Amino acid sequence: MYVGAKSGNGSQEGSWKLVFGDEARKINPLFDIKVKRDELIASSIQNDDWSEYNNFEATQHPAWYEKVDGDINQTKCILGT
């Protein structure tokens, strides 16, 4: 994860700093969720199976997903149909 670097006087520099793990979690508490989501997207594309991703997203945004015939799917509300 890249974050903007600040100089000692508090002004924003034009440079970016790469941060990992614990430091990234301090800056963005949702870092682990982003990493998990990215892993699931990559796996879903590779396997052409979005069920695990949909199950994960249903826990994050329950109003956007519904269970149909035992499978979790996006609701028509989010799809706009």
Side-chain angles (χ1 to χ4, degrees):
M1 179 169 111
Y2 286 93
V3 295
K6 290 189 177 182
S7 62
N9 62 9
S11 66
Q12 186 76 22
E13 291 181 11
S15 63
W16 293 89
K17 174 174 107 171
L18 183 61
V19 295
F20 297 99
D22 290 336
E23 190 175 358
R25 284 181 195 88
K26 291 175 188 174
I27 296 168
N28 181 3
L30 300 176
F31 175 76
D32 291 325
I33 293 172
K34 177 194 175 310
V35 170
K36 179 67 172 172
R37 181 177 286 121
D38 291 347
E39 289 172 357
L40 286 171
I41 289 171
S43 172
S44 297
I45 291 170
Q46 182 178 13
N47 300 327
D48 196 27
D49 177 18
W50 291 86
S51 59
E52 286 185 42
Y53 174 79
N54 287 336
N55 289 336
F56 174 77
E57 284 297 310
T59 62
Q60 299 298 312
H61 306 284
W64 296 353
Y65 290 83
E66 62 187 356
K67 196 171 201 174
V68 178
D69 296 330
D71 294 328
I72 302 278
N73 296 315
Q74 290 180 327
T75 61
K76 290 182 180 183
C77 179
I78 192 165
L79 295 175
T81 57

XYZ file of all heavy atoms in Angstrom:
646
model
N 0.851 -1.157 0.000
C 0.000 0.000 0.000
C 0.901 1.226 0.000
O 1.879 1.278 0.732
C -0.888 -0.033 1.251
C -1.812 1.130 1.395
S -3.024 0.856 2.700
C -2.471 2.043 3.880
N 0.568 2.186 -0.824
C 1.330 3.436 -0.897
C 0.591 4.531 -0.136
O -0.631 4.630 -0.204
C 1.504 3.880 -2.347
C 2.509 3.059 -3.106
C 2.116 1.962 -3.847
C 3.859 3.396 -3.075
C 3.046 1.198 -4.544
C 4.792 2.653 -3.774
C 4.377 1.555 -4.501
O 5.297 0.814 -5.186
N 1.338 5.346 0.601
C 0.761 6.487 1.309
C 1.595 7.713 0.984
O 2.784 7.618 0.677
C 0.714 6.255 2.841
C -0.224 5.129 3.188
C 2.088 5.993 3.401
N 0.961 8.871 1.061
C 1.672 10.121 0.820
C 2.627 10.416 1.964
O 2.284 10.233 3.127
N 3.822 10.858 1.644
C 4.824 11.179 2.658
C 4.718 12.655 3.017
O 4.491 13.490 2.153
C 6.207 10.848 2.137
N 4.876 12.956 4.303
C 4.848 14.347 4.764
C 6.234 14.748 5.231
O 6.979 13.953 5.773
C 3.857 14.517 5.913
C 2.417 14.400 5.490
C 1.498 14.786 6.614
C 0.059 14.739 6.139
N -0.858 15.141 7.182
N 6.551 16.019 5.031
C 7.845 16.521 5.510
C 7.736 16.847 6.995
O 6.657 16.815 7.575
C 8.246 17.755 4.707
O 7.296 18.778 4.905
N 8.841 17.177 7.606
C 8.876 17.466 9.035
C 8.023 18.645 9.444
O 7.527 18.724 10.564
N 7.803 19.626 8.541
C 6.996 20.795 8.903
C 5.498 20.571 8.653
O 4.714 21.495 8.804
C 7.486 22.035 8.146
C 7.367 21.890 6.644
O 6.765 20.937 6.151
N 7.938 22.832 5.912
N 5.116 19.362 8.251
C 3.703 19.047 8.084
C 3.154 19.255 6.692
O 2.017 18.900 6.424
N 3.943 19.817 5.795
C 3.437 20.014 4.439
C 3.538 18.715 3.649
O 4.425 17.895 3.892
C 4.217 21.121 3.729
O 5.549 20.735 3.526
N 2.631 18.550 2.723
C 2.586 17.335 1.912
C 3.673 17.375 0.844
O 3.755 18.312 0.075
C 1.212 17.201 1.252
C 1.012 15.907 0.502
C 0.760 14.730 1.424
O 0.350 14.907 2.545
N 1.013 13.548 0.935
N 4.515 16.366 0.812
C 5.529 16.254 -0.231
C 4.901 15.610 -1.458
O 3.832 15.031 -1.389
C 6.701 15.391 0.236
C 7.541 16.009 1.313
C 8.697 15.101 1.715
O 8.949 14.111 1.011
O 9.314 15.384 2.733
N 5.585 15.671 -2.574
C 5.101 15.049 -3.792
C 5.524 13.603 -3.920
O 5.470 13.038 -5.001
N 5.955 12.965 -2.849
C 6.440 11.588 -2.932
C 5.492 10.632 -2.215
O 4.669 11.034 -1.409
C 7.839 11.495 -2.328
O 7.788 11.817 -0.956
N 5.647 9.356 -2.549
C 4.831 8.306 -1.952
C 5.736 7.299 -1.263
O 6.864 7.079 -1.676
C 4.006 7.603 -3.025
C 2.968 8.503 -3.606
C 3.108 9.342 -4.667
C 1.640 8.686 -3.141
N 1.961 10.031 -4.908
C 1.028 9.642 -3.980
C 0.899 8.136 -2.116
C -0.287 10.048 -3.805
C -0.415 8.547 -1.945
C -0.989 9.492 -2.778
N 5.218 6.684 -0.225
C 5.990 5.720 0.551
C 5.238 4.395 0.561
O 4.019 4.360 0.752
C 6.155 6.271 1.961
C 6.806 5.352 2.952
C 7.030 6.082 4.269
C 6.059 5.576 5.290
N 6.323 6.047 6.638
N 5.953 3.289 0.345
C 5.357 1.958 0.369
C 5.365 1.443 1.799
O 6.405 1.456 2.465
C 6.154 1.015 -0.540
C 5.627 -0.407 -0.695
C 4.226 -0.393 -1.299
C 6.559 -1.220 -1.568
N 4.187 1.016 2.307
C 4.086 0.482 3.661
C 3.502 -0.922 3.611
O 2.746 -1.268 2.710
C 3.232 1.385 4.581
C 3.879 2.724 4.783
C 1.837 1.554 4.047
N 3.857 -1.735 4.591
C 3.419 -3.125 4.660
C 2.833 -3.434 6.027
O 3.080 -2.729 6.994
C 4.600 -4.076 4.426
C 5.224 -3.959 3.079
C 6.376 -3.225 2.902
C 4.659 -4.579 1.988
C 6.967 -3.115 1.657
C 5.235 -4.484 0.738
C 6.393 -3.752 0.574
N 2.090 -4.523 6.105
C 1.657 -5.141 7.354
C 1.137 -4.222 8.428
O 0.150 -3.522 8.250
N 1.824 -4.238 9.582
C 1.356 -3.504 10.758
C 1.249 -2.007 10.522
O 0.321 -1.360 10.999
C 2.270 -3.764 11.962
C 2.136 -5.180 12.488
O 1.079 -5.803 12.252
O 3.087 -5.670 13.126
N 2.197 -1.458 9.785
C 2.148 -0.012 9.509
C 0.934 0.333 8.644
O 0.254 1.326 8.868
C 3.436 0.438 8.832
C 3.561 1.937 8.733
C 4.901 2.388 8.176
O 5.758 1.553 7.893
O 5.059 3.606 8.035
N 0.636 -0.516 7.663
C -0.535 -0.296 6.815
C -1.823 -0.418 7.629
O -2.775 0.326 7.412
C -0.544 -1.294 5.660
N -1.850 -1.353 8.586
C -3.039 -1.515 9.445
C -3.267 -0.293 10.333
O -4.398 0.057 10.640
C -2.891 -2.766 10.297
C -3.120 -4.031 9.535
C -2.993 -5.264 10.427
N -2.867 -6.428 9.597
C -1.725 -6.908 9.130
N -0.587 -6.321 9.436
N -1.707 -7.976 8.365
N -2.196 0.351 10.780
C -2.323 1.559 11.599
C -2.927 2.698 10.797
O -3.719 3.481 11.312
C -0.963 1.975 12.149
C -0.408 1.041 13.187
C 0.987 1.472 13.592
C 1.628 0.435 14.486
N 3.030 0.751 14.769
N -2.554 2.785 9.527
C -3.054 3.854 8.667
C -4.475 3.564 8.212
O -5.333 4.433 8.204
C -2.124 4.036 7.450
C -0.744 4.495 7.931
C -2.704 5.010 6.447
C 0.327 4.421 6.870
N -4.730 2.312 7.812
C -6.040 1.925 7.291
C -6.484 0.627 7.953
O -6.011 -0.452 7.596
C -5.969 1.740 5.768
C -7.293 1.365 5.163
O -8.292 1.281 5.861
N -7.308 1.118 3.880
N -7.408 0.694 8.910
C -7.844 -0.512 9.610
C -8.538 -1.532 8.692
O -8.669 -2.686 9.053
C -8.809 -0.012 10.679
C -8.926 1.443 10.512
C -8.038 1.893 9.420
N -8.944 -1.116 7.521
C -9.597 -2.033 6.583
C -8.594 -2.695 5.634
O -8.985 -3.353 4.672
C -10.663 -1.284 5.774
C -11.784 -0.663 6.605
C -12.719 0.139 5.723
C -12.539 -1.720 7.375
N -7.305 -2.562 5.912
C -6.260 -3.117 5.061
C -6.428 -4.622 4.863
O -6.333 -5.128 3.744
C -4.885 -2.800 5.658
C -3.734 -3.419 4.926
C -3.311 -2.893 3.722
C -3.078 -4.532 5.428
C -2.245 -3.460 3.032
C -2.025 -5.094 4.754
C -1.606 -4.563 3.554
N -6.691 -5.364 5.949
C -6.829 -6.824 5.854
C -8.034 -7.216 5.006
O -7.985 -8.202 4.268
C -6.932 -7.452 7.241
C -5.624 -7.364 8.003
O -4.559 -7.468 7.357
O -5.649 -7.188 9.230
N -9.118 -6.463 5.113
C -10.307 -6.749 4.302
C -9.999 -6.515 2.830
O -10.386 -7.306 1.974
C -11.495 -5.894 4.774
C -11.901 -6.330 6.179
C -12.671 -5.993 3.805
C -12.929 -5.470 6.836
N -9.264 -5.457 2.532
C -8.872 -5.178 1.146
C -8.011 -6.304 0.591
O -8.202 -6.759 -0.539
C -8.117 -3.856 1.060
C -7.621 -3.526 -0.333
C -6.601 -2.403 -0.276
C -5.980 -2.089 -1.594
N -5.461 -3.192 -2.339
N -7.048 -6.777 1.372
C -6.168 -7.861 0.940
C -6.980 -9.121 0.673
O -6.805 -9.782 -0.359
C -5.059 -8.123 1.989
C -4.300 -9.399 1.680
C -4.111 -6.946 2.059
N -7.899 -9.469 1.582
C -8.737 -10.661 1.409
C -9.608 -10.523 0.162
O -9.748 -11.463 -0.632
C -9.606 -10.870 2.659
C -10.539 -12.054 2.579
C -9.779 -13.350 2.557
C -10.751 -14.507 2.667
N -10.105 -15.784 2.479
N -10.204 -9.350 -0.038
C -11.053 -9.110 -1.208
C -10.244 -9.260 -2.499
O -10.689 -9.898 -3.452
C -11.687 -7.731 -1.132
C -12.600 -7.413 -2.300
C -13.275 -6.068 -2.159
N -14.328 -6.166 -1.158
C -14.379 -5.437 -0.044
N -13.448 -4.532 0.224
N -15.365 -5.578 0.810
N -9.038 -8.694 -2.526
C -8.179 -8.796 -3.708
C -7.814 -10.250 -4.010
O -7.793 -10.671 -5.162
C -6.918 -7.958 -3.542
C -7.188 -6.467 -3.556
O -8.310 -6.059 -3.927
O -6.278 -5.702 -3.175
N -7.507 -11.028 -2.962
C -7.188 -12.451 -3.149
C -8.384 -13.210 -3.716
O -8.228 -14.053 -4.608
C -6.758 -13.079 -1.827
C -5.407 -12.629 -1.329
C -5.106 -13.125 0.071
O -5.967 -13.790 0.698
O -3.999 -12.845 0.566
N -9.577 -12.930 -3.191
C -10.772 -13.619 -3.665
C -11.105 -13.248 -5.107
O -11.539 -14.099 -5.887
C -11.962 -13.305 -2.751
C -11.937 -14.001 -1.396
C -13.030 -13.453 -0.486
C -12.087 -15.501 -1.558
N -10.906 -12.001 -5.475
C -11.153 -11.582 -6.859
C -10.202 -12.301 -7.800
O -10.617 -12.840 -8.832
C -11.046 -10.051 -7.000
C -12.226 -9.377 -6.314
C -10.984 -9.646 -8.466
C -12.109 -7.870 -6.206
N -8.926 -12.350 -7.455
C -7.943 -13.032 -8.307
C -8.276 -14.516 -8.433
O -8.219 -15.084 -9.530
C -6.543 -12.844 -7.745
N -8.631 -15.146 -7.332
C -8.986 -16.563 -7.354
C -10.250 -16.804 -8.171
O -10.340 -17.787 -8.920
C -9.180 -17.055 -5.918
O -9.689 -18.357 -5.897
N -11.231 -15.922 -8.040
C -12.497 -16.069 -8.769
C -12.289 -15.929 -10.267
O -12.881 -16.664 -11.056
C -13.507 -15.035 -8.289
O -13.810 -15.246 -6.931
N -11.434 -15.005 -10.672
C -11.140 -14.837 -12.098
C -10.431 -16.073 -12.637
O -10.763 -16.578 -13.706
C -10.303 -13.562 -12.327
C -11.151 -12.323 -12.055
C -9.752 -13.534 -13.747
C -10.379 -11.036 -12.026
N -9.467 -16.560 -11.865
C -8.691 -17.714 -12.308
C -9.557 -18.967 -12.423
O -9.439 -19.722 -13.380
C -7.545 -17.968 -11.325
C -6.640 -19.118 -11.715
C -5.505 -19.282 -10.717
O -5.514 -18.708 -9.632
N -4.517 -20.082 -11.088
N -10.452 -19.185 -11.445
C -11.267 -20.402 -11.421
C -12.631 -20.228 -12.074
O -13.381 -21.205 -12.184
C -11.462 -20.870 -9.976
C -10.154 -21.182 -9.307
O -9.217 -21.645 -9.938
N -10.069 -20.908 -8.012
N -12.976 -19.012 -12.456
C -14.288 -18.693 -13.016
C -15.419 -19.164 -12.105
O -16.418 -19.726 -12.542
C -14.443 -19.275 -14.425
C -15.610 -18.649 -15.169
O -15.955 -17.489 -14.861
O -16.190 -19.323 -16.041
N -15.212 -18.963 -10.787
C -16.201 -19.339 -9.778
C -16.246 -18.214 -8.743
O -15.301 -18.022 -7.981
C -15.809 -20.655 -9.117
C -16.768 -21.063 -8.011
O -17.902 -20.538 -7.966
O -16.381 -21.920 -7.188
N -17.347 -17.468 -8.733
C -17.466 -16.301 -7.868
C -18.191 -16.599 -6.562
O -18.503 -15.689 -5.796
C -18.173 -15.180 -8.624
C -17.314 -14.649 -9.724
C -17.202 -15.128 -10.989
C -16.399 -13.563 -9.629
N -16.282 -14.406 -11.698
C -15.771 -13.427 -10.888
C -16.043 -12.691 -8.617
C -14.817 -12.461 -11.142
C -15.100 -11.718 -8.883
C -14.497 -11.612 -10.123
N -18.435 -17.848 -6.225
C -19.209 -18.185 -5.031
C -18.496 -17.762 -3.738
O -19.135 -17.210 -2.838
C -19.538 -19.674 -5.004
O -18.362 -20.448 -5.023
N -17.187 -18.012 -3.625
C -16.464 -17.613 -2.410
C -16.442 -16.097 -2.256
O -16.599 -15.569 -1.156
C -15.035 -18.150 -2.441
C -14.932 -19.636 -2.192
C -13.487 -20.087 -2.122
O -12.670 -19.376 -1.493
O -13.187 -21.132 -2.698
N -16.246 -15.379 -3.355
C -16.255 -13.921 -3.319
C -17.629 -13.411 -2.886
O -17.730 -12.527 -2.038
C -15.876 -13.351 -4.687
C -15.996 -11.846 -4.755
C -15.014 -11.035 -4.213
C -17.101 -11.245 -5.342
C -15.127 -9.653 -4.248
C -17.215 -9.863 -5.392
C -16.225 -9.083 -4.850
O -16.348 -7.723 -4.881
N -18.684 -13.985 -3.454
C -20.042 -13.566 -3.086
C -20.333 -13.856 -1.618
O -20.976 -13.042 -0.937
C -21.074 -14.239 -3.980
C -21.090 -13.676 -5.377
O -20.678 -12.539 -5.604
N -21.541 -14.462 -6.327
N -19.857 -14.994 -1.103
C -20.047 -15.304 0.320
C -19.336 -14.281 1.198
O -19.878 -13.841 2.216
C -19.534 -16.706 0.636
C -20.407 -17.784 0.061
O -21.590 -17.582 -0.193
N -19.826 -18.948 -0.171
N -18.124 -13.895 0.818
C -17.369 -12.888 1.572
C -18.067 -11.538 1.521
O -18.247 -10.874 2.549
C -15.949 -12.777 1.011
C -15.150 -11.667 1.628
C -14.602 -11.808 2.887
C -14.942 -10.478 0.947
C -13.862 -10.784 3.456
C -14.209 -9.450 1.503
C -13.662 -9.601 2.765
N -18.462 -11.112 0.336
C -19.117 -9.821 0.185
C -20.463 -9.777 0.908
O -20.873 -8.729 1.396
C -19.306 -9.482 -1.292
C -18.034 -9.021 -1.967
C -17.480 -7.740 -1.383
O -18.229 -6.755 -1.225
O -16.283 -7.718 -1.074
N -21.147 -10.903 0.977
C -22.433 -10.952 1.688
C -22.250 -10.661 3.178
O -23.143 -10.099 3.808
C -23.101 -12.305 1.487
N -21.088 -11.026 3.732
C -20.837 -10.696 5.142
C -20.494 -9.218 5.306
O -20.757 -8.639 6.349
C -19.691 -11.557 5.723
O -18.488 -11.284 5.009
C -20.016 -13.031 5.646
N -19.897 -8.610 4.275
C -19.518 -7.203 4.334
C -20.698 -6.270 4.030
O -20.827 -5.209 4.620
C -18.382 -6.920 3.338
C -17.120 -7.705 3.610
C -16.514 -7.362 4.958
O -16.367 -6.201 5.295
N -16.174 -8.378 5.729
N -21.539 -6.661 3.067
C -22.675 -5.850 2.623
C -23.920 -6.732 2.492
O -24.338 -7.061 1.384
C -22.369 -5.199 1.264
C -21.107 -4.419 1.238
N -21.001 -3.182 1.811
C -19.888 -4.691 0.731
C -19.767 -2.730 1.654
N -19.071 -3.636 1.002
N -24.534 -7.107 3.601
C -25.644 -8.058 3.539
C -26.855 -7.569 2.735
O -27.580 -8.379 2.160
C -26.031 -8.283 4.999
C -25.218 -7.356 5.809
C -24.190 -6.731 4.948
N -27.059 -6.274 2.634
C -28.223 -5.771 1.897
C -28.057 -5.939 0.387
O -29.031 -5.893 -0.354
C -28.451 -4.302 2.215
N -26.845 -6.153 -0.070
C -26.579 -6.251 -1.506
C -26.641 -7.682 -2.022
O -26.477 -7.919 -3.214
C -25.214 -5.676 -1.830
C -25.081 -4.216 -1.549
C -26.069 -3.344 -1.163
C -23.894 -3.442 -1.614
N -25.564 -2.092 -0.995
C -24.223 -2.120 -1.268
C -22.586 -3.738 -1.934
C -23.296 -1.106 -1.237
C -21.658 -2.726 -1.905
C -22.012 -1.417 -1.561
N -26.824 -8.659 -1.115
C -26.800 -10.068 -1.497
C -28.014 -10.784 -0.917
O -28.538 -10.412 0.114
C -25.508 -10.739 -1.014
C -24.307 -10.262 -1.786
C -23.661 -9.085 -1.441
C -23.838 -10.960 -2.878
C -22.572 -8.629 -2.161
C -22.750 -10.517 -3.607
C -22.131 -9.350 -3.245
O -21.063 -8.899 -3.971
N -28.421 -11.848 -1.603
C -29.521 -12.668 -1.119
C -29.215 -14.127 -1.426
O -28.457 -14.437 -2.343
C -30.837 -12.255 -1.766
C -30.859 -12.414 -3.277
C -32.114 -11.845 -3.913
O -33.003 -11.397 -3.180
O -32.177 -11.837 -5.145
N -29.819 -15.009 -0.637
C -29.625 -16.439 -0.835
C -30.745 -16.956 -1.723
O -31.915 -16.837 -1.399
C -29.629 -17.149 0.512
C -29.068 -18.523 0.477
C -28.909 -19.056 1.885
C -27.911 -20.179 1.879
N -27.631 -20.629 3.233
N -30.373 -17.530 -2.870
C -31.340 -18.072 -3.830
C -30.942 -19.515 -4.116
O -29.841 -19.771 -4.614
C -31.347 -17.245 -5.140
C -32.308 -17.845 -6.141
C -31.673 -15.801 -4.866
N -31.826 -20.439 -3.796
C -31.572 -21.871 -4.008
C -30.252 -22.316 -3.385
O -29.498 -23.099 -3.962
C -31.574 -22.206 -5.511
C -32.930 -21.958 -6.156
O -33.955 -22.087 -5.456
O -32.947 -21.622 -7.349
N -29.925 -21.787 -2.204
C -28.719 -22.169 -1.492
C -27.464 -21.435 -1.917
O -26.409 -21.610 -1.329
N -27.543 -20.619 -2.963
C -26.390 -19.856 -3.438
C -26.565 -18.379 -3.101
O -27.663 -17.854 -3.160
C -26.223 -19.984 -4.958
C -25.871 -21.395 -5.390
O -25.187 -22.093 -4.621
O -26.295 -21.785 -6.490
N -25.464 -17.724 -2.770
C -25.485 -16.284 -2.504
C -25.297 -15.562 -3.830
O -24.331 -15.807 -4.554
C -24.348 -15.894 -1.531
C -24.460 -16.655 -0.221
C -24.321 -14.400 -1.321
C -25.419 -16.093 0.771
N -26.217 -14.647 -4.155
C -26.150 -13.875 -5.392
C -26.399 -12.403 -5.089
O -27.033 -12.071 -4.091
C -27.209 -14.350 -6.390
C -26.980 -15.775 -6.831
O -25.868 -16.155 -7.143
N -28.040 -16.566 -6.831
N -25.920 -11.530 -5.987
C -26.205 -10.111 -5.832
C -27.696 -9.878 -6.020
O -28.339 -10.514 -6.853
C -25.430 -9.304 -6.858
C -23.949 -9.267 -6.609
C -23.210 -8.462 -7.648
O -23.589 -8.421 -8.798
N -22.150 -7.809 -7.232
N -28.226 -8.938 -5.237
C -29.637 -8.618 -5.364
C -29.877 -7.820 -6.631
O -28.968 -7.204 -7.186
C -30.135 -7.781 -4.176
O -29.411 -6.572 -4.140
C -29.978 -8.532 -2.869
N -31.096 -7.830 -7.083
C -31.438 -7.066 -8.283
C -31.293 -5.578 -8.012
O -31.036 -4.801 -8.920
C -32.862 -7.382 -8.723
C -32.986 -8.782 -9.261
C -34.391 -9.064 -9.738
C -34.476 -10.479 -10.273
N -35.773 -10.794 -10.804
N -31.409 -5.181 -6.780
C -31.278 -3.766 -6.415
C -29.891 -3.231 -6.777
O -29.768 -2.168 -7.356
C -31.524 -3.605 -4.919
S -31.369 -1.929 -4.318
N -28.843 -3.991 -6.462
C -27.480 -3.523 -6.769
C -27.173 -3.657 -8.260
O -26.419 -2.886 -8.815
C -26.424 -4.256 -5.941
C -25.077 -3.553 -6.075
C -26.272 -5.694 -6.346
C -24.060 -3.947 -5.066
N -27.791 -4.627 -8.917
C -27.546 -4.801 -10.341
C -28.317 -3.785 -11.178
O -28.052 -3.614 -12.344
C -27.922 -6.219 -10.775
C -27.079 -7.338 -10.168
C -27.614 -8.700 -10.570
C -25.630 -7.213 -10.580
N -29.300 -3.149 -10.571
C -30.068 -2.119 -11.267
C -31.078 -2.669 -12.256
O -31.449 -2.014 -13.206
N -31.508 -3.909 -12.024
C -32.508 -4.503 -12.924
C -33.796 -4.776 -12.184
O -33.853 -4.873 -11.018
C -32.015 -5.820 -13.543
O -31.681 -6.723 -12.496
C -30.844 -5.579 -14.433
